[in-house]
């Protein structure tokens, strides 16, 4: 036992991240006056990149979200333009990692939509999406971009299916159909060759996404899993969940053997969901509780004890969700290694929190900023779908991030048709399960009936006009 302690204690003490601290932005650098959604769905409702902040908002009739340029801090006007094309509540939003003005959203209206944000942000409400993706028969709760391939998007619906969309053609190209309940979370390994999911059926799965084959599966009876994250290239997974005594708990797993967790650790007795965030560059894990204001952080290693507690950022304001800035958007001159955007619903406030490594020197700190995944995709959709795996294209943060992506999203031209994946038509009528779904289906059908009646009336008028013209032609005297 003594040997084990000796092996890890010096490593913990010598950690360059043991003094990392959280710094809240000044009030003038926050985003104020935002009607953050009151939806109880367990998502972050926030997405951020180096140019824009997107937040799902409270709205009557349909779903909407704000997109604000990062430099436009302070109070946001109540009539600020929104992205508001969905017919149901927006449940998740994610920025394209390679094209910084393209964002994906999914909604209770069963659709996934791709939006192109104009230079400088919105000047008026946006209702027309670049691409509307229909394939799920129930509401869609999660969207996730592939980490190394351009224009590959994953969506998880309440029909228990994960669809893989190739946005070059605007169609679903694969369907993962191994879940028996609602999918709670999706996470990729570094090169996107593996997908891990947590599900309401209490199972943790590691899946080969192209074939849909389940490689590993854990039936979590003692540790009820909620969220999962791949720990970079360590071949480890970390899950957050609830123990049999209803305490919040984390578990570390070997991705190649899910028969037993490597370690389980109780966190506290609070009831809110624990969101895990992993930084592969610093090997730091952050745990943020929904409904409380604390963010704990740990250092992860491949040797025992695997998980070393560093510190805790405390705040009295409870968080509903957290957006995370990509690495190339951080302030390297301030030794910032991570940045959260915290949603404080009661105040209508988005509060940036910077995690900073204290250093005396003003020079670039190469030891805390290794080469990191950049904004260039490593693969095309066809290459990835053809079975090729490739690590992310890395970039250095040394010169500060100035380069903007030259990639442009081109929406495919689509015709309305049936969506068939694995021999199943995903748009076949599926009986509604809830009263809300029944009402939505009823109103959709009423709109369709109204549209068809109008179309029929117009065609009747046209037929009458043509009949009159024909009659006139017959009755007119023939000109010799």
């Amino acid at each position: 036992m003594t040997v084990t302690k000796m092996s890890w204690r010096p490593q913990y003490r010598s950690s360059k991240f043991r003094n990392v601290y959280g710094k809240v932005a000044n009030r003038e650098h926050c985003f104020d006056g935002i009607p953050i959604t009151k939806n109880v769905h367990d998502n972050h409702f926030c997405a951020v990149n180096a140019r824009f902040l997107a937040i799902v908002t409270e709205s009557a009739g349909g779903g909407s979200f704000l997109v604000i340029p990062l430099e436009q801090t302070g109070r946001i006007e109540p009539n600020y333009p929104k992205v508001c094309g969905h017919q149901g509540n927006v449940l998740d939003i994610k920025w394209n990692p390679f094209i910084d003005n393209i964002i994906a959203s999914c909604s209770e209206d069963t659709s996934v939509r791709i939006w192109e944000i104009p230079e400088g942000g919105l000047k008026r409400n946006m209702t027309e999406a670049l691409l509307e993706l229909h394939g799920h028969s129930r509401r869609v709760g999660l969207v996730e971009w592939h980490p190394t391939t351009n224009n590959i998007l994953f969506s998880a619906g309440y029909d228990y299916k994960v669809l893989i969309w190739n946005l070059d053609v605007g169609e679903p190209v694969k369907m993962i159909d191994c879940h028996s309940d609602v999918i709670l979370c999706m996470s990729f390994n570094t090169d996107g060759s593996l997908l891990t999911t947590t599900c309401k059926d209490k199972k943790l799965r590691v899946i080969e996404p192209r074939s849909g084959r389940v490689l590993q599966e854990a039936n979590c009876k003692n540790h009820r899993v909620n969220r999962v994250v791949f720990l970079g290239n360590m071949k480890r997974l970390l899950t957050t969940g609830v123990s049999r005594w209803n305490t919040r708990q984390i578990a570390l797993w070997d991705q190649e053997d899910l028969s037993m967790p490597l370690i389980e650790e109780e966190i506290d007795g609070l009831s809110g969901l624990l969101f895990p965030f992993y930084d592969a560059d610093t090997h730091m894990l952050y745990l943020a509780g929904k409904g409380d204001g604390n963010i704990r952080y740990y250092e992860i290693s491949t040797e025992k004890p695997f998980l070393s507690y560093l510190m805790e950022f405390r705040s009295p304001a409870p968080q509903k969700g957290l957006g995370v800035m990509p690495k190339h958007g951080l302030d390297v001159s301030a030794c910032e290694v991570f940045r959260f955007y915290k949603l404080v619903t009661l105040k209508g406030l988005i509060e940036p929190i910077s995690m900073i490594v204290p250093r005396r020197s003003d020079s670039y700190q190469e030891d805390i900023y290794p080469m990191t995944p950049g904004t260039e995709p490593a693969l095309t959709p066809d290459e990835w779908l053809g079975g090729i795996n490739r690590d992310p294209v890395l970039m250095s943060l040394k010169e500060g991030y100035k380069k903007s992506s030259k990639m442009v999203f081109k929406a495919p031209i689509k015709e309305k048709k049936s969506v068939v994946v694995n021999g199943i038509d995903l748009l076949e009528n599926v009986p509604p399960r809830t009263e809300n779904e029944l009402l939505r289906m009823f109103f959709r059908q009423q709109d369709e009936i109204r549209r068809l009646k109008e179309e029929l009336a117009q065609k009747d008028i046209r037929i009458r006009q043509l009949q009159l013209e024909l009659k006139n032609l017959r009755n007119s005297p023939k000109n010799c």
Side-chain angles (χ1 to χ4, degrees):
M1 198 70 180
T2 320
V3 179
T4 314
K5 284 186 177 176
M6 288 297 290
S7 68
W8 67 263
R9 267 194 181 160
Q11 178 193 343
Y12 171 71
R13 283 184 178 153
S14 66
S15 166
K16 52 180 158 267
F17 303 111
R18 70 184 185 278
N19 293 321
V20 167
Y21 65 95
K23 183 184 178 185
V24 180
N26 297 332
R27 191 66 188 234
E28 62 267 24
H29 293 125
C30 295
F31 300 83
D32 202 357
I34 294 169
I36 300 165
T37 179
K38 294 184 175 67
N39 195 307
V40 294
H41 193 73
D42 282 330
N43 270 352
H44 291 294
F45 299 111
C46 175
V48 65
N49 66 15
R51 286 177 65 194
F52 297 109
L53 171 71
I55 313 105
V56 179
T57 56
E58 194 64 19
S59 62
S64 63
F65 58 96
L66 286 172
V67 175
I68 306 164
L70 280 186
E71 62 276 7
Q72 200 175 320
T73 53
R75 189 152 192 86
I76 304 299
E77 294 301 315
N79 57 352
Y80 193 88
K82 292 183 175 76
V83 178
C84 49
H86 281 288
Q87 275 88 53
N89 289 326
V90 175
L91 299 180
D92 198 13
I93 46 175
K94 293 275 163 60
W95 288 105
N96 185 320
F98 309 116
I99 311 172
D100 54 12
N101 67 331
I102 298 290
I103 190 167
S105 63
C106 64
S107 161
E108 288 182 350
D109 66 8
T110 75
S111 75
V112 175
R113 300 188 191 208
I114 310 297
W115 310 86
E116 183 176 28
I117 306 303
E119 195 71 37
L122 299 177
K123 300 290 181 279
R124 60 187 67 82
N125 282 354
M126 182 179 274
T127 54
E128 287 297 312
L130 206 57
L131 210 51
E132 280 186 36
L133 307 172
H134 295 277
H136 288 283
S137 58
R138 307 249 178 268
R139 59 182 165 163
V140 189
L142 297 168
V143 282
E144 206 69 59
W145 294 91
H146 191 275
T148 64
T149 309
N150 190 37
N151 282 350
I152 290 285
L153 182 74
F154 286 60
S155 63
Y158 276 60
D159 50 8
Y160 314 157
K161 293 174 176 60
V162 176
L163 293 183
I164 305 175
W165 303 87
N166 177 357
L167 302 188
D168 280 358
V169 294
E171 298 289 345
V173 285
K174 302 277 180 185
M175 179 171 70
I176 300 169
D177 193 11
C178 59
H179 300 88
S180 59
D181 210 324
V182 175
I183 299 137
L184 302 172
C185 181
M186 296 190 286
S187 175
F188 291 99
N189 65 342
T190 307
D191 66 1
S193 61
L194 295 175
L195 173 74
T196 180
T197 63
T198 56
C199 181
K200 234 177 177 175
D201 62 11
K202 299 180 185 174
K203 287 182 180 175
L204 170 67
R205 294 173 175 87
V206 175
I207 300 162
E208 201 293 308
R210 283 167 292 216
S211 65
R213 196 159 51 93
V214 179
L215 304 177
Q216 287 287 323
E217 187 175 274
N219 204 343
C220 309
K221 288 174 182 170
N222 298 336
H223 168 75
R224 204 160 65 246
V225 288
N226 283 322
R227 289 290 178 273
V228 62
V229 64
F230 260 108
L231 301 180
N233 284 326
M234 285 187 176
K235 297 201 168 178
R236 300 271 193 270
L237 301 172
L238 185 121
T239 57
T240 68
V242 182
S243 72
R244 62 168 81 177
W245 297 282
N246 274 347
T247 56
R248 296 200 291 193
Q249 189 183 48
I250 58 174
L252 189 71
W253 307 77
D254 179 343
Q255 75 181 40
E256 291 169 354
D257 179 13
L258 298 184
S259 56
M260 282 283 288
L262 298 169
I263 54 166
E264 286 180 336
E265 192 168 308
E266 307 278 321
I267 301 299
D268 56 31
L270 296 176
S271 58
L273 188 77
L274 271 179
F275 293 118
F277 303 90
Y278 180 65
D279 180 2
D281 294 350
T282 60
H283 305 300
M284 282 177 70
L285 170 77
Y286 300 87
L287 295 178
K290 183 179 178 178
D292 60 77
N294 305 342
I295 301 171
R296 295 172 175 85
Y297 37 106
Y298 301 77
E299 197 166 5
I300 304 262
S301 63
T302 49
E303 307 295 318
K304 283 188 176 179
F306 304 123
L307 203 63
S308 304
Y309 175 77
L310 294 172
M311 223 182 285
E312 184 173 9
F313 167 81
R314 288 176 174 271
S315 158
Q319 58 228 1
K320 183 184 182 72
L322 294 149
V324 172
M325 173 62 78
K327 277 282 172 171
H328 56 258
L330 298 178
D331 182 0
V332 294
S333 62
C335 295
E336 183 184 35
V337 289
F338 215 73
R339 191 191 304 162
F340 294 102
Y341 284 77
K342 172 176 166 176
L343 276 65
V344 187
T345 316
L346 298 173
K347 297 180 183 175
L349 184 71
I350 312 292
E351 196 175 60
I353 301 166
S354 297
M355 308 309 290
I356 291 170
V357 181
R359 293 281 168 100
R360 287 195 180 92
S361 170
D362 290 337
S363 61
Y364 180 71
Q365 307 291 310
E366 289 201 40
D367 61 323
I368 60 173
Y369 295 117
M371 295 286 280
T372 192
T375 56
E376 297 296 320
L379 293 166
T380 65
D382 289 342
E383 286 174 331
W384 184 77
L385 290 165
I388 300 172
N389 294 320
R390 205 171 284 155
D391 282 333
V393 178
L394 301 180
M395 63 178 281
S396 167
L397 302 178
K398 187 164 187 175
E399 304 309 318
Y401 183 73
K402 297 285 183 289
K403 185 183 169 194
S404 62
S405 175
K406 301 223 169 23
M407 299 198 71
V408 177
F409 184 83
K410 287 180 185 168
I413 297 159
K414 290 176 69 182
E415 291 175 18
K416 286 277 181 192
K417 57 179 178 178
S418 63
V419 177
V420 179
V421 177
N422 298 2
I424 300 165
D425 186 351
L426 300 173
L427 297 181
E428 278 181 339
N429 287 329
V430 179
R433 288 184 187 174
T434 64
E435 195 178 332
N436 276 347
E437 280 186 16
L438 183 67
L439 281 170
R440 242 193 328 274
M441 198 173 275
F442 170 75
F443 288 126
R444 204 180 293 154
Q445 286 173 347
Q446 290 294 306
D447 287 343
E448 183 70 5
I449 290 165
R450 198 177 300 118
R451 189 182 65 74
L452 289 169
K453 277 182 177 173
E454 283 170 8
E455 213 173 284
L456 204 60
Q458 283 169 357
K459 283 182 177 170
D460 279 345
I461 292 165
R462 184 68 186 136
I463 288 165
R464 280 201 293 273
Q465 285 173 343
L466 290 168
Q467 282 172 336
L468 278 169
E469 282 175 29
L470 195 64
K471 200 175 181 182
N472 291 340
L473 280 168
R474 280 177 184 159
N475 294 340
S476 65
K478 287 180 183 178
N479 295 323
C480 296

